[in-house]
């Protein structure tokens, strides 16, 4: 549920930030193409930001399946010690 919250919150935030950057100070309405671009760019930025959460959830679920109890803090430490979240 926290993961889903982060996914949707960052997606809406980045879409609006990209749209505001395109719009600038003019306050004009965006064309359909620019709205699509804003949505794609915002979704991409959101995905990049939430990758560490996705990796952490998968790691904790795998540990739970093998009978180990791990905390979020343990998982973060382990991921950063082994080279980060993008490996």
């Amino acid at each position: 549920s926290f993961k889903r919250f982060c996914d949707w919150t960052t997606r809406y935030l980045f879409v609006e930030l990209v749209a505001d950057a395109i719009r600038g100070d003019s306050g004009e309405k965006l064309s359909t193409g620019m709205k699509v671009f804003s949505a794609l760019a915002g979704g991409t930025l959101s995905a990049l930001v939430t990758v560490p959460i996705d990796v952490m959830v998968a790691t904790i679920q795998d540990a739970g399946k093998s009978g180990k109890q791990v905390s979020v803090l343990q998982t973060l430490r382990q991921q950063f010690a082994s080279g980060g979240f993008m490996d």
Side-chain angles (χ1 to χ4, degrees):
S1 60
F2 176 71
K3 178 185 163 316
R4 186 171 291 147
F5 168 79
C6 291
D7 286 342
W8 284 105
T9 302
T10 57
R11 184 167 294 135
Y12 284 117
L13 172 70
F14 285 124
V15 168
E16 288 301 316
L17 288 174
V18 171
D20 286 346
I22 293 170
R23 194 177 297 121
D25 293 332
S26 67
E28 296 176 16
K29 289 183 93 174
L30 296 179
S31 68
T32 302
M34 285 293 110
K35 287 180 184 179
V36 170
F37 175 77
S38 297
L40 289 172
T44 301
L45 291 170
S46 172
L48 292 173
V49 168
T50 58
V51 162
I53 295 171
D54 294 338
V55 170
M56 186 172 48
V57 167
T59 303
I60 290 172
Q61 287 174 343
D62 286 344
K65 288 177 185 175
S66 66
K68 296 179 185 175
Q69 290 286 51
V70 294
S71 70
V72 172
L73 192 55
Q74 276 179 306
T75 305
L76 286 172
R77 285 182 183 154
Q78 181 184 7
Q79 282 299 124
F80 283 117
S82 68
F85 283 96
M86 297 304 214
D87 286 340

